[in-house]
């Protein structure tokens, strides 16, 4: 068991909890609420030590309630030789934020997602109020407790920080799909000519809020518009998300790239209340040329609080919650198969469903009509009765077909109800019976 020396006492390394590019995290013997982060030898620099010391010195700028949203260092530690080794920080339990907005997964419902978005705003606002910048908004650095909706920013030692003299301790990493357009293509570990700012943080914050409110859809995710293709022409490859971010081409706003649409699992942007749509427009459209237009975390918090008070539940599925100005449940609409929506209910499956219903109905109806007209005077009315038979069979077939069509429209994305074939057959048989002539 390795022991490390901190300003607040000794820390005894226990079990390894995880390891990454910067260092390894261990539990602390006798201290279940904190962990040790011990840096890899190659990462141990005087600059990193000064950055951790800066973080400890500005810790008092945060309100105690806000500190629960930040895995901020509580102590710096040295090894037995007195050399800088790492830091102590609060233990955080939860899931990365992107696990809370997976497409078509409503285990975290809309109200809960709004709460998560608001709590993320609280954390970001706390950092900005301390005149600091976050930088990398990698989903793995935003941990959510799904049960209560709390949000904690981790890997805070990678934040983009400045001391009171203006000396920069830069954030040297960045996930491109969450990086603002003015920083796209930058190697953060080498170039500091352009750096993270609170405005770039606002852009990244808006991406996570968009994902939370729009069924996990990235605001710059696209698909190709349906077009008639000609043999011999090669398909067109959609540009990567990073390129669309750089050019400000979100499919939801005025700068969108021609011929692109949002993904099929994305609800209509009009589902969002106008105040929220306006903030997104500022973040991704007008904010593309003028980053100062991007909404602050405080603005987002206030407007999300308004939306939070105006939601309704779907009558068919109580896990479906959405803004109360929307007439139809947007989540049911997305889950319902359509021409432009991929579904496990394939065309072949639908054909087989109809074929089974029609064949079974046809056999049953024919047998019934044959038994009904086996009588002594059947030959006397052969022509008339034949037309009646055809009329009855066709009427029942139409009823079966339309009943099939109705049920197919109600199919969920996965599977179908087994009772629907018998119900379609019954509907057709009843139509046939109602029109059967009585001799």
């Amino acid at each position: 068991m390795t022991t490390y020396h901190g300003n607040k006492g000794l820390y005894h390394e226990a079990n390894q909890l995880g390891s990454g590019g910067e260092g390894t995290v261990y539990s602390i013997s006798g201290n279940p609420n904190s962990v040790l982060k011990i840096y890899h030898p190659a990462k141990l620099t005087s600059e990193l030590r000064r950055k951790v010391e800066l973080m400890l010195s500005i810790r008092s700028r945060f309100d105690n309630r806000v500190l629960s949203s930040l895995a901020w260092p509580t102590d710096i530690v040295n090894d037995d030789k007195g050399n800088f080794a790492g830091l102590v920080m609060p233990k955080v339990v939860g899931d990365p934020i992107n696990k809370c907005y997976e497409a078509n997964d409503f285990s975290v419902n809309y109200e809960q997602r709004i709460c998560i978005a608001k709590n993320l705003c609280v954390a970001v606002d706390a950092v900005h109020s301390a005149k600091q910048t976050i930088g990398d908004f990698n989903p793995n650095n935003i941990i959510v407790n799904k049960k209560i909706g709390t949000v904690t920013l981790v890997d805070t030692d990678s934040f983009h920080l400045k001391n009171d003299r203006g000396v920069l301790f830069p954030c040297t990493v960045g996930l491109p799909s969450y990086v603002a357009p003015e920083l796209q293509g930058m190697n953060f570990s080498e170039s500091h000519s352009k750096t993270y700012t609170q405005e770039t943080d606002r852009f990244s914050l808006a991406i996570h809020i968009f994902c939370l409110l729009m069924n996990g859809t990235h605001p710059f995710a696209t698909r190709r518009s349906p077009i008639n293709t000609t043999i011999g022409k090669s398909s067109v490859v959609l540009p990567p998300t990073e390129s669309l971010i750089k050019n400000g081409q979100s499919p939801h706003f005025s700068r969108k790239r021609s011929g692109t649409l949002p993904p099929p699992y994305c609800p209509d942007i009009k589902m969002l209340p106008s105040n929220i749509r306006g903030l997104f427009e500022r973040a991704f459209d007008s904010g593309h040329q003028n980053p100062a237009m991007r909404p602050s975390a405080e603005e987002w918090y206030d407007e999300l609080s308004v939306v939070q008070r105006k939601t309704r539940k779907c009558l068919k599925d109580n896990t479906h919650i959405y803004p109360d100005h929307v007439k139809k449940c947007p989540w049911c609409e997305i889950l319902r198969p359509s021409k432009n929506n991929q579904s496990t209910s394939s065309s072949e499956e639908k054909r087989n469903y109809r074929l089974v219903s029609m064949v079974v109905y046809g056999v049953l109806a024919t047998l019934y009509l044959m038994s009904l007209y086996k009588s002594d005077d059947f030959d006397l009315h052969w022509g008339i009765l034949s037309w009646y038979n055809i009329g009855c069979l066709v009427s029942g077939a139409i009823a079966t077909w339309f009943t099939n069509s109705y049920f197919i429209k109600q199919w969920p994305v996965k599977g179908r109800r087994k009772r629907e074939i018998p119900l379609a057959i019954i509907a057709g048989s009843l139509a046939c019976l109602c029109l059967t002539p009585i001799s």
Side-chain angles (χ1 to χ4, degrees):
M1 180 184 295
T2 306
T3 300
Y4 294 93
H5 302 260
N7 296 331
K8 298 180 180 180
L10 299 178
Y11 300 94
H12 304 289
E13 176 189 297
N15 300 321
Q16 180 176 326
L17 301 177
S19 184
E22 296 287 323
T24 304
V25 177
Y26 300 92
S27 59
I28 301 173
S29 179
N31 189 347
N33 297 320
S34 298
V35 295
L36 274 170
K37 181 174 182 178
I38 304 302
Y39 292 107
H40 298 317
K43 299 294 182 179
L44 291 169
T45 63
S46 59
E47 181 183 17
L48 178 57
R49 182 185 182 103
R50 291 198 306 273
K51 186 174 187 178
V52 175
E53 289 172 342
L54 169 64
M55 297 182 76
L56 292 172
S57 70
I58 65 175
R59 181 180 172 86
S60 60
R61 297 182 187 179
F62 299 109
D63 185 278
N64 286 332
R65 294 174 299 171
V66 170
L67 277 173
S68 63
S69 301
L70 304 170
W72 205 263
T74 58
D75 204 355
I76 188 170
V77 296
N78 300 324
D79 60 20
D80 286 335
K81 297 180 180 179
N83 297 317
F84 170 55
L87 55 83
V88 180
M89 61 185 179
K91 183 178 182 180
V92 179
V93 178
D95 299 289
I97 193 170
N98 57 346
K99 296 297 182 182
C100 300
Y101 53 66
E102 294 179 317
N104 299 341
D105 179 1
F106 302 103
S107 58
V108 180
N109 66 41
Y110 200 71
E111 282 184 336
Q112 291 169 320
R113 294 185 186 194
I114 293 174
C115 180
I116 291 168
K118 288 177 62 179
N119 287 336
L120 176 58
C121 291
V122 169
V124 174
D125 183 64
V127 176
H128 288 184
S129 296
K131 301 186 185 334
Q132 301 296 341
T133 304
I134 294 168
D136 182 25
F137 272 74
N138 188 318
N140 292 325
N141 294 343
I142 305 171
I143 303 301
V144 178
N145 184 322
K146 289 184 179 180
K147 293 182 180 179
I148 56 178
T150 55
V151 173
T152 307
L153 304 183
V154 300
D155 276 355
T156 55
D157 53 327
S158 72
F159 281 10
H160 198 75
L161 306 176
K162 283 184 179 181
N163 65 18
D164 293 336
R165 299 189 303 276
V167 176
L168 177 66
F169 298 91
C171 175
T172 58
V173 291
L175 188 61
S177 54
Y178 293 87
V179 169
E182 59 266 33
L183 300 181
Q184 283 294 328
M186 178 180 296
N187 185 336
F188 294 102
S189 63
E190 296 179 358
S191 174
H192 300 144
S193 58
K194 287 185 178 179
T195 60
Y196 286 111
T197 64
Q198 292 195 359
E199 284 73 26
T200 63
D201 277 3
R202 292 176 179 183
F203 181 88
S204 304
L205 170 64
I207 289 179
H208 283 295
I209 296 175
F210 195 94
C211 291
L212 284 164
L213 301 184
M214 296 290 281
N215 197 28
T217 307
H218 190 287
F220 291 86
T222 59
R223 62 184 168 101
R224 178 64 60 190
S225 299
I227 57 173
N228 295 323
T229 57
T230 304
I231 296 175
K233 289 187 177 180
S234 60
S235 60
V236 179
V237 178
L238 286 170
T241 300
E242 293 79 7
S243 174
L244 295 173
I245 291 175
K246 185 174 183 177
N247 295 315
Q249 295 174 318
S250 169
H252 307 278
F253 303 105
S254 64
R255 302 172 61 91
K256 72 176 183 178
R257 188 183 181 95
S258 176
T260 59
L261 294 171
Y265 55 85
C266 178
D268 190 325
I269 190 79
K270 293 180 181 177
M271 180 203 76
L272 298 173
S274 59
N275 63 326
I276 298 297
R277 292 201 307 270
L279 293 184
F280 282 129
E281 191 279 332
R282 285 171 51 194
F284 304 129
D285 202 38
S286 57
H288 179 263
Q289 294 291 347
N290 183 8
M293 292 286 294
R294 296 168 188 162
S296 67
E298 185 177 9
E299 285 182 88
W300 277 114
Y301 185 93
D302 292 340
E303 296 302 331
L304 287 168
S305 297
V306 175
V307 177
Q308 194 174 29
R309 297 191 292 268
K310 298 179 179 180
T311 60
R312 67 170 63 174
K313 284 187 178 181
C314 174
L315 297 177
K316 295 181 180 179
D317 189 332
N318 61 13
T319 66
H320 292 180
I321 300 174
Y322 52 94
D324 64 2
H325 74 277
V326 181
K327 293 181 179 180
K328 290 184 178 180
C329 174
W331 315 128
C332 287
E333 292 295 311
I334 288 171
L335 294 176
R336 182 176 296 127
S338 66
K339 292 181 181 179
N340 297 323
N341 195 2
Q342 292 296 327
S343 157
T344 56
S345 302
S346 65
S347 298
E348 182 180 1
E349 187 180 10
K350 294 173 184 178
R351 283 196 300 271
N352 292 340
Y353 172 80
R354 282 198 170 101
L355 181 62
V356 171
S357 301
M358 297 296 288
V359 169
V360 174
Y361 157 74
V363 171
L364 292 176
T366 300
L367 290 174
Y368 167 72
L369 291 171
M370 288 177 65
S371 67
L372 185 65
Y373 294 119
K374 282 184 178 180
S375 59
D376 294 337
D377 61 345
F378 182 77
D379 292 334
L380 296 177
H381 307 286
W382 174 258
I384 297 174
L385 292 174
S386 294
W387 283 109
Y388 268 125
N389 288 348
I390 294 172
C392 293
L393 285 170
V394 171
S395 298
I398 292 173
T400 303
W401 179 272
F402 277 105
T403 307
N404 278 336
S405 299
Y406 170 78
F407 283 134
I408 286 173
K409 288 181 180 179
Q410 308 305 313
W411 279 359
V413 171
K414 296 182 179 179
R416 66 176 186 265
R417 296 186 293 272
K418 294 181 179 180
R419 63 184 176 85
E420 292 175 355
I421 290 178
L423 287 174
I425 295 169
I426 291 170
S429 300
L430 288 174
C432 180
L433 286 171
C434 290
L435 296 174
T436 300
I438 306 299
S439 59

